[in-house]
């Protein structure tokens, strides 16, 4: 048998083939494609390439992902991703490349990585039928180094026991790092070192939060846990206090003067930071000039100052159950920038001429000075809408009439109305909840909201519609994507169990159908459940320079312009708008995109902190009610239990599957239910059940219920 003649150029040709795969990002190619990339047309040379690929596959240099196609075999695969810790100390790495599957990492191979860290992982060659495994080779970025928890003292050292269930290591605290903390106290600790072979990191106490279980301690612990600072740095307070209070004649001369125009604010009764005011006057042609006047924070907060950097880092004010943690120091948020009545104030304004049908006939954007005549609470404005006499009644009634037209038009264009009940607590002087109530949004709330939406939309349109392609002006938008079709289908199937039919063929039909559903369920026992599930089936709104539209509001252009005292993106929007009004051209869009991403992250953290404070207050409210029976609605199902929301007070707790003793129950994920394996009894999302309060764990913010059969 004749042996195949050895190609004398095999080594050189092999290296050229390897280069082809490396340059193409190791895409799978057949021998003809490799030959084409090498510009080889000779048929003998093509055969030689095919031979090298086949021989190299047998030798382990190449692999064949599909018949006739080859790629380089990668023995050393490294990926980057985020650590998702499990309860047993192992983790899954969620790759940054979304097309990759998660990689399992055993506890001993985590190499001191913690939950949320960004890491580099060496991925092992997969054994047949096994999930991909790997080990952490480098920690690229720590998600957090500060943790809240409790000090446990001994004579010569102390340990810190973290509250975070995903932080599985206690932290060793040398006695000279205690910062005055005492045994059993709740503290904020920072990891300062983690010796190579040590089981536990070493830390120091940053803040003593106080005695466990006290309201102030627990609220501060929630803030610290989500990375919000507990106080402003001295340098920031100093800068804020140095800003002069007086408005100079020179500054007023640069602005449009609205001080003699009827102007007022409408806010919650307990508000101290008034972001927005409305001015109203009837024009000679019978139309209405309505000014939406927003606190001119960007006049006081200058880029790259300590004040600006701190506001950017915080990103937003945080609203816990019993307190507000402002984005700006009090001197600005409650004083200089706050549009208080009977004081001259600097604003950035969007001024509209509207006709009787609420059409925008003309618009103007720019810096102004105002003088608010009155400060209304929502309740006071509502009384006027409902007929109470007042000198400003004509203005408020006309504004309400125009707001109604704007609202109606918005819904006709496909906006979605999610009206869920907002839970509030009556607190005693120590912050302990003594009652629960739901906040009702009336016309006065909606009046203000509709004019704020108008300003946000028109500012976004004004910039967004200028220039095309490369000449578009970069801007910060509030973008809300269309819903994921699969999630929407699941929600639709679930709503049908309550007798509600959704049409989800197109985005517009979906919006119309959802609005009809929201109107139908108002006041029903399933309102909260279906509203929160509908909201969850929607995409989350984010800040970005890349996309302009808002699906939920049915606006092609939308931004946040109206709350710069409590949201940093609004400050960015004010600065950009002023820059463009002055004739400025292009700015660095990437820089603003990074700032937008940070703002979206901080907004998410603030919402999580707010939810955690509500969970704490719910647990505290039920702490003294062990054994009390309630009617509840099944609000969630998991493989270890079902969540139940008490109808009367909206407190949510869990019935653990192991505590339901009449059968062995398992999760039916597709149908949002748990099912008894023998008797086939079903508990489904939305079912009414009787429960009693079994146990409350304040530290973990957990409530356990027992199901009453």
């Amino acid at each position: 048998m004749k042996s195949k003649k050895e190609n004398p150029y095999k080594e050189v040709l092999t290296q050229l083939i390897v280069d082809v795969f490396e340059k193409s990002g190791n895409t799978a190619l057949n021998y003809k494609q490799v030959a084409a990339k090498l510009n080889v047309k000779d048929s003998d040379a093509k055969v030689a390439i095919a031979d090298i690929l086949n021989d190299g596959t047998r030798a382990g240099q190449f692999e064949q992902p599909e018949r006739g196609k080859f790629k380089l075999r990668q023995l050393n695969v490294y990926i980057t991703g985020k650590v998702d810790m499990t309860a047993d100390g192992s983790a899954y790495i969620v790759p940054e490349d979304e097309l990759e599957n998660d990689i399992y990492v055993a506890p001993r191979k985590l190499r001191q990585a913690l939950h949320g860290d960004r890491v580099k992982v060496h991925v092992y060659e997969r054994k047949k039928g096994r999930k991909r495994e790997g080990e952490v080779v480098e920690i690229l970025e720590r998600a957090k180094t500060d943790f809240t928890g409790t000090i446990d003292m001994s004579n010569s050292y102390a340990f810190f026991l973290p509250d975070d269930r995903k932080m599985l290591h206690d932290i060793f605290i040398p006695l000279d790092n205690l910062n005055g903390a005492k045994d059993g106290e709740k503290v904020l600790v920072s990891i300062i070192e983690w010796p190579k072979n040590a089981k536990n990191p070493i830390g120091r106490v940053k803040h003593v939060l106080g005695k466990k279980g006290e309201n102030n301690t627990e609220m501060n612990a929630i803030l610290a846990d989500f990375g919000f600072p507990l106080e402003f740095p001295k340098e920031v307070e100093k800068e804020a206090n140095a800003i002069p209070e007086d408005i100079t004649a020179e500054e007023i001369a640069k602005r449009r003067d609205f001080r003699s125009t009827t102007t007022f604010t409408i806010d919650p009764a307990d508000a101290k930071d008034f972001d927005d005011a409305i001015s109203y006057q009837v024009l000679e042609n019978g139309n209405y000039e309505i000014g939406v006047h927003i606190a001119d924070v960007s006049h006081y907060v200058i880029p790259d100052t300590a004040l600006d950097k701190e506001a950017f880092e915080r990103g937003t004010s945080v609203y816990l159950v019993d307190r507000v943690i402002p984005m700006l120091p009090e001197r600005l948020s409650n004083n200089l920038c706050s549009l208080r009545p009977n004081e001259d104030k600097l604003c950035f304004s969007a001024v509209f001429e509207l006709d009787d049908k609420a059409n925008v006939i003309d618009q103007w954007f720019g810096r102004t000075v105002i003088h608010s005549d009155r400060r209304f609470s929502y309740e006071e404005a509502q009384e006027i809408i409902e007929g109470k006499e007042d000198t400003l009644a004509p203005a408020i009634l006309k504004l309400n009439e125009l707001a109604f037209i704007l609202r109606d038009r918005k819904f006709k264009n496909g906006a979605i109305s999610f009206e869920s009940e907002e839970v509030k607590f009556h607190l005693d002087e120590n912050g302990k909840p003594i009652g629960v109530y739901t906040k009702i949004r009336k016309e006065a709330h909606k009046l203000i909201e509709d004019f704020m939406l108008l300003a946000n939309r028109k500012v976004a349109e004004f910039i967004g519609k200028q220039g095309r392609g490369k000449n578009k002006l970069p801007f910060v938008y509030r973008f809300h994507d269309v819903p994921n079709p699969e999630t929407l289908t699941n929600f639709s199937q679930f709503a049908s169990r309550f007798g509600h039919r959704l049409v989800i063929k197109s985005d517009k039909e979906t919006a119309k159908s959802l609005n009809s559903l929201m109107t139908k369920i108002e006041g029903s026992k399933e309102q909260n459940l279906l509203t929160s599930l509908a909201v969850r089936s929607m995409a989350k709104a984010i800040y970005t320079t890349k996309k302009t539209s808002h699906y939920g509001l049915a606006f092609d252009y939308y931004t946040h312009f109206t709350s710069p005292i409590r949201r940093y993106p609004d400050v960015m929007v004010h600065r950009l708008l002023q820059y463009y009004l002055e004739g400025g051209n292009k700015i660095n869009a990437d820089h603003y995109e990074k700032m937008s991403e940070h703002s979206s992250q901080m907004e998410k953290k603030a919402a999580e902190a707010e939810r955690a404070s509500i969970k704490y207050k719910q647990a505290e409210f039920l702490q003294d009610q062990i054994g009390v029976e309630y009617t509840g609605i099944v609000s969630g199902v998991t493989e270890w239990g079902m969540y139940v929301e008490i109808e009367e007070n909206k407190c949510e707790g869990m019935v653990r599957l192991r505590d339901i003793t009449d059968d062995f129950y398992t999760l039916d994920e597709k149908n949002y239910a748990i099912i008894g394996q023998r008797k086939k009894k079903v508990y489904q999302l939305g079912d009414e059940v009787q429960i009693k309060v079994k146990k409350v764990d304040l530290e973990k913010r957990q409530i356990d219920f027992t199901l009453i059969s």
Side-chain angles (χ1 to χ4, degrees):
M1 192 174 152
K2 199 160 80 169
S3 66
K4 205 191 299 180
K5 191 179 173 188
E6 186 68 23
N7 184 339
Y9 303 112
K10 184 176 180 183
E11 204 172 305
V12 176
L13 192 52
T14 303
Q15 189 50 54
L16 289 170
I17 292 167
V18 168
D19 289 348
V20 164
F21 283 109
E22 284 178 346
K23 281 174 186 164
S24 68
N26 206 21
T27 310
L29 304 168
N30 61 35
Y31 80 96
K32 287 179 184 172
Q33 290 169 313
V34 173
K37 284 183 183 287
L38 289 171
N39 206 19
V40 169
K41 296 185 172 72
D42 177 67
S43 50
D44 282 349
K46 286 182 184 177
V47 170
I49 289 169
D51 288 343
I52 288 169
L53 289 168
N54 285 314
D55 292 346
T57 302
R58 284 191 287 275
Q61 185 177 13
F62 301 108
E63 59 184 351
Q64 216 171 338
E66 55 187 286
R67 191 186 169 109
K69 288 211 168 186
F70 302 83
K71 62 195 285 193
L72 284 175
R73 189 173 184 196
Q74 291 180 297
L75 295 175
N76 279 331
V77 180
Y78 293 93
I79 64 123
T80 56
K82 282 200 172 166
V83 178
D84 186 7
M85 208 65 124
T86 65
D88 65 359
S90 62
Y92 286 91
I93 310 302
V94 182
E96 286 174 354
D97 178 352
E98 290 174 14
L99 299 173
E100 295 263 12
N101 292 323
D102 294 357
I103 292 121
Y104 173 78
V105 179
R108 60 193 171 80
K109 292 182 177 171
L110 268 167
R111 306 278 186 273
Q112 303 178 340
L114 301 173
H115 178 69
D117 288 354
R118 188 168 166 263
V119 294
K120 184 178 179 183
V121 177
H122 174 226
V123 185
Y124 307 139
E125 197 180 340
R126 190 206 299 252
K127 294 185 177 72
K128 206 170 181 182
R130 294 275 298 276
K131 59 189 170 193
R132 290 202 306 168
E133 292 188 25
E135 67 178 298
V136 173
V137 291
E138 192 183 347
I139 295 162
L140 301 171
E141 194 183 332
R142 286 273 187 214
K144 61 191 271 191
T145 51
D146 290 4
F147 296 89
T148 60
T150 311
I151 287 289
D152 185 14
M153 301 273 283
S154 76
N155 291 333
S156 49
Y157 59 86
F159 267 101
F160 164 83
L161 316 175
D163 290 339
D164 188 340
R165 277 171 283 175
K166 296 212 166 184
M167 173 55 176
L168 304 174
H169 303 269
D170 294 345
I171 299 172
F172 175 74
I173 312 286
L175 295 184
D176 53 1
N177 282 0
L178 276 169
N179 197 10
K182 297 180 179 67
D183 187 45
E185 279 190 318
K186 200 152 208 176
V187 294
L188 176 67
V189 158
S190 199
I191 293 175
I192 53 171
E193 189 192 350
W194 200 333
K196 196 172 180 187
N197 296 316
K199 188 185 170 191
N200 302 88
I202 297 167
R204 68 177 171 80
V205 174
K206 260 178 110 169
H207 285 286
V208 177
L209 299 170
K211 197 174 165 190
K212 266 197 327 187
E214 284 184 354
N215 181 61
N216 218 32
T217 303
E218 298 302 334
M219 291 298 115
N220 281 337
I222 287 168
L223 288 167
D225 228 10
F226 288 99
F228 289 100
L230 304 177
E231 58 197 7
F232 283 97
K234 286 186 174 61
E235 185 190 2
V236 172
E237 292 280 13
K238 193 177 166 189
E239 259 186 29
N241 292 332
I243 298 170
E245 197 157 333
D246 297 337
I247 299 171
T248 63
E250 291 81 27
E251 187 56 46
I252 288 171
K254 295 179 201 168
R255 295 168 177 260
R256 188 167 161 183
D257 196 338
F258 277 84
R259 287 176 297 175
S260 58
T261 307
T262 300
T263 304
F264 48 85
T265 59
I266 305 178
D267 287 281
D270 57 356
K272 294 184 181 71
D273 57 339
F274 310 133
D275 273 289
D276 52 83
I278 295 222
S279 68
Y280 172 86
Q281 64 176 325
V282 182
L283 300 171
E284 284 178 14
N285 62 6
N287 289 340
Y288 310 96
E289 184 192 81
I290 290 152
V292 178
H293 304 287
I294 308 301
D296 192 359
V297 172
S298 63
H299 171 79
Y300 296 103
V301 179
I302 311 301
D304 298 325
T305 56
L307 189 55
D308 180 51
K309 286 171 185 169
E310 181 70 13
F312 168 69
E313 281 305 324
R314 290 175 179 237
T316 177
S317 296
V318 188
Y319 293 82
L320 302 188
V321 167
D322 67 335
R323 67 193 66 198
V324 178
I325 312 306
M327 180 180 84
L328 299 169
E330 204 169 294
R331 176 132 202 283
L332 285 157
S333 60
N334 294 1
N335 184 345
L336 291 180
C337 297
S338 187
L339 308 183
R340 303 188 300 193
N342 308 313
E343 295 178 19
D344 288 357
K345 290 289 176 181
L346 300 180
C347 286
F348 209 134
S349 304
V351 183
F352 303 103
E353 181 186 334
L354 299 185
D355 65 14
D356 251 329
K357 300 213 164 36
N359 296 308
V360 176
I361 306 303
D362 199 7
Q363 61 184 26
W364 177 89
F365 306 107
R367 287 184 145 146
T368 56
V369 58
I370 69 158
H371 187 97
S372 172
D373 303 297
R374 287 272 287 281
R375 174 256 196 276
F376 289 103
S377 69
Y378 283 123
E379 290 75 17
E380 288 165 344
Q382 187 61 35
E383 283 174 0
I384 292 169
I385 289 168
E386 289 170 6
K388 186 181 175 185
E389 286 186 19
D390 191 282
T391 52
L392 288 177
I396 285 177
L397 291 170
K398 179 48 78 174
L399 284 166
N400 190 48
E401 194 184 304
L402 293 168
F404 185 84
I405 299 169
L406 287 169
R407 196 177 317 144
D408 192 47
R409 190 178 295 151
K410 179 183 72 181
F411 291 133
K412 279 186 177 138
N413 288 338
I416 303 165
S417 168
F418 291 124
E419 289 283 341
S420 58
E421 295 173 306
E422 195 181 340
V423 177
K424 294 280 182 185
F425 295 89
H426 290 297
L427 305 173
D428 68 12
E429 65 279 3
N430 300 315
K432 191 175 168 63
I434 48 176
V436 184
Y437 65 99
T438 49
K439 191 173 152 188
I440 297 158
R441 271 165 39 85
K442 292 192 175 177
E443 283 168 289
H445 294 83
K446 293 173 185 177
L447 179 163
I448 289 298
E449 187 179 277
D450 283 307
F451 282 107
M452 296 308 126
L453 290 179
L454 178 67
N456 287 335
R457 173 166 61 99
K458 288 298 181 183
V459 165
E461 271 180 17
F462 176 65
I463 300 299
K465 288 185 173 179
Q466 291 185 45
R468 298 219 168 271
K470 286 182 179 176
N471 296 321
K472 269 187 100 59
L473 299 176
F475 201 55
V476 173
Y477 296 98
R478 180 70 169 169
F479 168 65
H480 184 229
D481 207 350
V482 296
N484 176 313
E486 192 184 333
T487 319
L488 209 50
T489 302
N490 290 344
F491 173 69
S492 170
Q493 286 167 353
F494 180 69
S496 68
R497 298 208 181 97
F498 292 88
H500 305 297
R501 185 174 167 269
L502 278 182
V503 181
I504 53 174
K505 286 175 192 164
S506 70
D507 292 345
K508 212 153 194 179
E509 280 180 313
T510 300
K512 194 177 171 188
S513 202
L514 277 169
N515 281 339
S516 155
L517 170 67
M518 293 302 138
T519 308
K520 221 194 269 182
I521 62 173
E522 206 166 320
S524 70
K525 66 180 183 187
E526 71 260 29
Q527 179 183 356
N528 250 21
L529 176 65
L530 284 177
T531 305
S532 67
L533 273 177
V535 169
R536 268 188 256 167
S537 72
M538 296 286 116
K540 296 282 176 281
I542 58 164
Y543 297 105
T544 181
T545 58
K546 293 174 179 173
K547 296 187 179 172
T548 64
S549 62
H550 197 293
Y551 171 75
L553 293 169
F555 295 153
D556 291 334
Y557 296 89
Y558 192 65
T559 189
H560 272 173
F561 167 78
T562 53
S563 290
I565 291 177
R566 60 187 180 88
R567 294 188 304 226
Y568 194 82
D570 302 51
V571 180
M572 287 154 61
V573 163
H574 282 212
R575 285 176 183 160
L576 285 171
L577 180 58
Q578 183 60 30
Y579 175 71
Y580 293 137
L581 287 169
E582 288 170 354
N585 201 343
K586 289 297 259 309
I587 50 106
N588 183 342
D590 289 343
H591 173 65
Y592 276 90
E593 183 60 26
K594 286 191 179 83
M595 292 170 86
S596 298
E597 281 170 16
H598 172 76
S599 298
S600 298
Q601 285 164 6
M602 295 314 286
E603 177 189 45
K604 186 170 176 269
K605 281 187 181 181
E608 286 168 352
E610 184 184 351
R611 275 196 297 273
S613 81
I614 291 168
K615 288 270 181 210
Y616 183 82
K617 288 297 166 199
Q618 288 178 336
E620 200 177 12
F621 180 67
L622 292 181
Q623 199 179 19
D624 305 327
Q625 299 187 39
I626 306 297
V628 175
E629 296 184 10
Y630 286 107
T631 299
I633 298 273
V634 177
S635 56
V637 287
T638 70
E639 57 200 27
W640 54 86
M642 62 179 178
Y643 287 100
V644 176
E645 184 186 87
I646 297 173
E647 277 185 20
E648 185 184 312
N649 53 41
K650 308 297 174 200
C651 294
E652 189 181 58
M654 176 175 267
V655 176
R656 297 186 185 276
L657 295 192
R658 63 170 183 259
D659 293 341
I660 312 177
T661 53
D662 66 335
D663 202 342
F664 177 71
Y665 285 85
T666 57
L667 173 67
D668 175 359
E669 204 168 351
K670 199 177 171 197
N671 292 302
Y672 302 98
I674 59 162
I675 301 173
Q677 293 305 288
R678 284 182 295 112
K679 301 175 187 171
K680 302 298 175 197
K681 182 164 175 57
V682 176
Y683 291 101
Q684 205 156 35
L685 218 57
D687 282 354
E688 192 175 272
V689 290
Q690 297 300 310
I691 52 96
K692 69 177 172 188
V693 183
K694 179 192 174 189
K695 183 183 159 202
V696 172
D697 187 328
L698 263 185
E699 272 187 66
K700 290 180 179 167
R701 307 191 275 274
Q702 280 179 358
I703 302 164
D704 282 359
F705 295 143
T706 303
L707 191 65
I708 302 168
S709 300

